[in-house]
Amino acid sequence: MMALASISAVAVGQTALRSGIDLSNLDTSVRPADDFYAYACGGWMQKNPLPAAYSRYGSFDQLAEENNRRINGILSELLENTYPAGSTEQKLSTLYKQAMDSTRRNRDGVAPAMPIIRRLEAAKTVKQLFDIQLELAAYGDAEFIRYYMSADEKEASKNILSVVQGGIILGQKEYYLDNDPATTAIREAYKQHIVRMFQLFGFSKSVATKKMKNVMKLETALAQVSKSRTELRDPVANYNKMTLAEFNTRYPHIQLERVMNAKGIRSEFIQELVVGQPDFVAGADKVIAALKPAEYRDYMEWGQIMDAAGLLSADVQAANFSFFGKVLSGRKEDHPLWRRATTQVQGVMGQALGKIYVEKYFPASSKERMKELVHNLQIALGERIAAQDWMDDSTKVNALLKLNTFYVKIGYPDKWIDMSALQIDPDKSYYENMKSCSKFWNDWDIDHTAGKPVDRDD
């Protein structure tokens, strides 16, 4: 969804055009045969001393710094300025202002996320909880298993539903199952983290501890049937096509069709699907069949707390980062609010931010110049293929046909995503508006994939 991913590579769009090697980056006082690295890089190192915060500093680091400076400048303007109501700039500005409004977020505490927690607490049966799960599906929520529409790996022009393993917050099965000292320590810290987070959402320590045990029971059961990351690298083993009828027969308790309908995908678009890990899906089906209401409720609540944690008050964010940032990832530095906020806003409105960036720093003429450069490279490569004497004519024809299928994307989309349907309400909380973003992107993704051929422009 983000246009910024490719922008760093073209951030020099308006700088003076240069080509060749910058001789000032060399140190010609050094004899290349004695120390080629010093000869090749000495001038650069003299002009660009290693900053204290870096373990290395090259031209790409410099480019990234300049890119970040420009983006931060745009974000600063969004904080200071006002824009016409309903415009993409107004939506982006409002969302970023809310993301940076730590005073309001701290005042609100966990209140914005409590309505869904209270609804889950009030549900007494598995059916009532499943009904809530169906409502949440339209916001991208997925319980126990992950689902997504994307290009069929064996028929790349066609979109197809994929059903893959998921449902464990720590991501890797080993965190739940291995018993070496380091993994055990992480697992125990995770248990404490679950208790702490439930307490921040108003539950007593004893209740939070019971909820933690239910969460760990279900996540561990899912981990036991999960494939390892190494096993997930096998493209053949992780591609298992079947019909919806076959899926329903094998895994009746998942109720895939109802979940997909609630998400917004019509049944006619999932008559064929790909199951990534059949053993996992079979195991998850058994877990779901044996669910007790309290286990289901606590598992869903934990998922909602994790979704909300980065969008609420500073104490909730700090508690969450203390585990995922420091214990799990081993990072010692703080993770300031502005960095998280910037990442979150870019994640849901990167196209809008990218469009502003392009208008300021990457004119259409630069894009056309790069497209012409790539086109010329294709011509040159085609001429080289035609001139090879070690290839027979049929091989050359196939190579040229393959070369001509090369699809060029430079800098930014030819057509920006229409975000007019996205509603960002300044009177709502940052959490509520981020939920609106989730709903918008869920709907957009379905509209562009379900029953549609793959759009290479997306």
Side-chain angles (χ1 to χ4, degrees), residues 95 348-349 422 424 433-441:
L95 192 66
V348 295
M349 296 200 72
L422 174 61
I424 302 295
N433 281 320
M434 287 294 282
K435 283 294 185 183
S436 295
C437 291
S438 296
K439 179 68 165 60
F440 171 82
W441 286 116

Side-chain angles (χ1 to χ4, degrees), residues 70-212:
R70 291 174 171 180
I71 292 171
N72 288 334
I74 293 171
L75 293 172
S76 295
E77 292 177 7
L78 290 169
L79 287 176
E80 297 167 0
N81 298 337
T82 57
Y83 303 90
S87 66
T88 300
E89 291 79 6
Q90 176 266 319
K91 296 172 185 179
L92 177 58
S93 174
T94 297
L95 192 66
Y96 188 60
K97 287 174 181 176
Q98 288 190 331
M100 296 297 290
D101 190 352
S102 58
T103 300
R104 176 179 175 179
R105 290 169 70 174
N106 288 337
R107 182 179 65 245
D108 290 346
V110 299
M114 285 308 296
I116 185 60
I117 300 298
R118 284 193 287 267
R119 286 192 61 199
L120 289 167
E121 280 293 302
K124 303 303 180 185
T125 67
V126 168
K127 181 184 181 305
Q128 290 172 339
L129 289 161
F130 183 67
D131 287 342
I132 297 175
Q133 179 184 333
L134 293 179
E135 292 180 34
L136 297 175
Y139 293 85
D141 179 82
E143 304 292 341
F144 308 105
I145 296 174
R146 293 192 298 117
Y147 321 87
Y148 59 89
M149 278 277 188
S150 67
D152 188 329
E153 293 179 2
K154 293 190 176 182
E155 193 175 349
S157 63
K158 172 186 174 184
N159 283 303
I160 195 168
L161 177 68
S162 290
V163 180
V164 297
Q165 70 182 43
I168 53 176
I169 295 294
L170 296 183
Q172 298 184 57
K173 63 182 297 180
E174 290 80 6
Y175 284 122
Y176 300 88
L177 306 178
D178 288 0
N179 292 309
D180 60 277
T183 305
T184 300
I186 289 174
R187 185 162 57 246
E188 291 305 311
Y190 181 52
K191 292 177 182 178
Q192 295 173 20
H193 176 61
I194 296 173
V195 173
R196 174 61 177 152
M197 293 298 286
F198 271 111
Q199 286 182 279
L200 288 172
F201 277 72
F203 297 97
S204 68
K205 186 172 183 178
S206 61
V207 172
T209 301
K210 291 179 182 178
K211 289 180 177 294
M212 176 273 291

Side-chain angles (χ1 to χ4, degrees), residues 40 171 218 251 385 413:
L218 295 186
Y251 321 113
I385 291 171

Side-chain angles (χ1 to χ4, degrees), residues 16-30:
L17 297 177
R18 297 194 302 270
S19 63
I21 298 173
D22 185 349
L23 297 181
S24 68
N25 288 334
L26 306 178
D27 184 352
T28 55
S29 67
V30 177

Side-chain angles (χ1 to χ4, degrees), residues 95 164 214 220 395 448:
L95 192 66
V164 297
N214 282 337
T220 302
T395 302
H448 286 75

Side-chain angles (χ1 to χ4, degrees), residues 219-341:
E219 289 196 19
T220 302
L222 294 173
Q224 288 171 336
V225 294
S226 295
K227 284 189 175 184
S228 68
R229 289 197 172 181
T230 301
E231 292 172 318
L232 291 174
R233 294 174 188 158
D234 184 339
V236 176
N238 291 284
Y239 183 96
N240 303 275
K241 185 176 283 189
M242 64 183 67
T243 66
L244 178 61
E246 289 171 331
F247 185 97
N248 290 337
T249 299
R250 295 181 191 182
Y251 321 113
H253 302 98
I254 291 173
Q255 301 186 70
L256 177 69
E257 188 169 8
R258 290 190 65 190
V259 174
M260 292 300 99
N261 291 166
K263 186 176 176 65
I265 303 175
R266 299 204 304 268
S267 299
E268 63 192 273
F269 300 138
I270 57 172
Q271 291 304 307
E272 226 181 19
L273 61 145
V274 173
V275 177
Q277 301 78 38
D279 290 345
F280 172 85
V281 179
D285 189 71
K286 292 178 181 177
V287 169
I288 294 170
L291 278 176
K292 296 177 181 178
E295 295 170 349
Y296 193 5
R297 177 200 64 209
D298 296 343
Y299 179 84
M300 288 183 66
E301 285 180 354
W302 180 232
Q304 292 302 307
I305 288 173
M306 285 292 91
D307 286 344
L311 310 175
L312 301 174
S313 58
D315 57 342
V316 174
Q317 294 183 63
N320 201 44
F321 182 72
S322 69
F323 175 76
F324 286 99
K326 297 182 178 180
V327 175
L328 192 60
S329 300
R331 291 159 57 184
K332 299 185 183 302
E333 75 275 14
D334 290 329
H335 195 215
L337 173 64
W338 68 264
R339 190 181 302 162
R340 280 172 285 184

Side-chain angles (χ1 to χ4, degrees), residues 359-394:
E359 290 170 351
K360 291 175 70 72
Y361 299 114
F362 192 62
S365 58
S366 295
K367 177 170 179 172
E368 290 305 314
R369 182 173 180 271
M370 290 300 101
K371 288 172 67 175
E372 182 181 3
L373 184 150
V374 172
H375 178 65
N376 290 338
L377 286 173
Q378 288 178 276
I379 293 174
L381 183 56
E383 291 173 348
R384 291 188 64 180
I385 291 171
Q388 298 304 315
D389 57 11
W390 58 270
M391 302 170 71
D392 62 28
D393 289 343
S394 63

